[in-house]
């Protein structure tokens, strides 16, 4: 991996902004979906508004990355129990009571089913919305007992459709960008991308809970991240 010196970023941006601002702007410039993907994103946003009903402008974005991250049950590799996500969703709702609905993006049918089951046992269950797409091959990565068989190997073998996987990923990212708060893990590249694009679009920090690290650039540590350290410019 290429690391750049701190003075690689023009000083005028560092003085007035921050390194996070700089990375967010770069990702926003690079984020250029094709016409086909943009059309799918527009249709998915319409579908999500219909599913959320009265909550369509105020919902929680949750991304559960399981799949090959969980094939050894390795918590230190970013595989977090579904119950931990639900606990943090409740924590966010205790601060923002109007967040009673959640859009859930995940690569695992198992994780989604478990979340729905645990949610149904709450005194005040959330309204859970998730897109339906073929996660079968990705879900099987959770039961593969070797760390060597991951996403890349699944794509290389043809068991996972690389185009379908990334098309679904880009649609989910667009839907997550509309959320009013996040529960996810910043060890996931997807979640860091979502937060960078969110900031670039809104020019403010959306409340979040990260189950493992604070945003990795410029001092991420192996500890739970929260929005407390971002309160200077909240949304």
């Amino acid at each position: 991996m290429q690391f750049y010196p701190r003075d690689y970023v023009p000083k005028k941006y560092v003085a007035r902004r921050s390194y996070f601002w700089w990375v967010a702007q770069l990702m926003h410039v690079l984020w250029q979906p094709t016409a086909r993907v943009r059309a799918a994103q527009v249709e998915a946003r319409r579908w999500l508004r219909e599913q959320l009903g009265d909550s369509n402008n105020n919902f929680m974005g949750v991304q559960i990355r399981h799949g090959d991250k969980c094939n050894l049950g390795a918590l230190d590799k970013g595989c977090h129990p579904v119950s931990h996500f639900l606990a943090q969703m409740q924590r966010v709702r205790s601060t923002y009571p109007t967040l009673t609905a959640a859009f859930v993006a995940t690569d695992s049918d198992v994780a989604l089913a478990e979340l729905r089951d645990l949610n149904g046992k709450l005194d005040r269950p959330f309204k859970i919305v998730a897109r339906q797409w073929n996660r079968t091959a990705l879900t099987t990565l959770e039961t593969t007992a070797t760390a060597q068989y991951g996403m890349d190997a699944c794509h290389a073998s043809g068991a996972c459709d690389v185009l379908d996987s990334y098309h679904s990923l880009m649609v989910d990212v667009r839907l997550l960008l509309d959320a009013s708060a996040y529960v996810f893990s910043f060890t996931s590249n997807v979640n860091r991308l979502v937060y960078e694009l969110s900031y670039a679009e809104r020019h403010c920090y959306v409340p979040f809970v990260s189950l493992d690290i604070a945003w990795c650039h410029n001092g991420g540590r192996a500890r739970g991240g929260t929005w407390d350290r971002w309160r200077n410019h909240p949304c």
Side-chain angles (χ1 to χ4, degrees):
M1 179 181 294
Q2 177 68 53
F3 291 92
Y4 295 100
R6 293 176 69 88
D7 59 2
Y8 187 83
V9 179
K11 291 183 178 180
K12 64 179 180 179
Y13 294 120
V14 177
R16 295 179 51 198
R17 308 285 185 172
S18 67
Y19 288 103
F20 177 82
W21 178 91
W22 173 254
V23 175
Q25 305 313 309
L26 288 179
M27 295 311 299
H28 191 251
V29 170
L30 293 172
W31 176 257
Q32 299 294 333
T34 64
R36 174 173 173 264
V37 172
R38 287 199 303 272
Q41 290 173 335
V42 169
E43 175 59 24
R45 294 176 83 183
R46 180 197 62 76
W47 166 84
L48 182 58
R49 287 193 296 270
E50 291 179 353
Q51 295 297 309
L52 292 171
D54 293 339
S55 303
N56 69 74
N57 290 320
N58 199 25
F59 66 93
M60 207 178 302
V62 181
Q63 203 264 5
I64 303 176
R65 173 74 165 88
H66 270 203
D68 56 334
K69 274 191 177 290
C70 295
N71 59 15
L72 296 178
L75 293 177
D76 60 332
K77 294 175 62 178
C79 176
H80 303 284
V82 172
S83 59
H84 291 192
F85 286 91
L86 187 58
Q88 294 303 324
M89 289 166 64
Q90 292 176 277
R91 176 188 173 198
V92 172
R93 183 170 60 182
S94 69
T95 303
Y96 302 97
T98 60
L99 292 178
T100 59
F103 168 69
V104 179
T106 181
D107 55 358
S108 170
D109 286 325
V110 172
L112 182 58
E114 183 179 354
L115 180 66
R116 291 188 187 280
D117 179 62
L118 293 174
N119 180 60
K121 297 174 182 177
L122 296 179
D123 292 335
R124 295 175 56 217
F126 292 91
K127 182 171 186 177
I128 301 291
V129 178
R131 291 195 314 116
Q132 296 301 313
W133 54 280
N134 186 5
R135 303 181 180 89
T136 304
L138 300 180
T139 298
T140 61
L141 294 176
E142 294 183 53
T143 60
T144 304
T146 171
Q148 281 67 47
Y149 188 69
M151 185 75 74
D152 292 340
C154 190
H155 286 151
S157 70
C160 301
D161 186 324
V162 61
L163 293 180
D164 184 59
S165 295
Y166 282 101
H167 180 273
S168 298
L169 169 66
M170 294 185 75
V171 172
D172 278 350
V173 166
R174 179 60 262 179
L175 297 183
L176 287 168
L177 288 176
D178 292 332
S180 300
Y182 296 118
V183 174
F184 48 30
S185 55
F186 272 146
T187 51
S188 167
N189 292 322
V190 172
N191 296 328
R192 295 197 300 273
L193 173 64
V194 167
Y195 207 73
E196 291 155 6
L197 293 176
S198 171
Y199 179 80
E201 287 189 0
R202 306 186 196 198
H203 307 291
C204 60
Y205 300 109
V206 174
F208 74 90
V209 173
S210 171
L211 273 68
D212 38 45
I213 64 171
W215 184 69
C216 72
H217 184 73
N218 195 24
R221 297 289 185 271
R223 63 175 183 273
T226 70
W227 60 83
D228 295 334
R229 62 192 291 266
W230 309 80
R231 283 189 182 275
N232 288 340
H233 303 281
C235 287

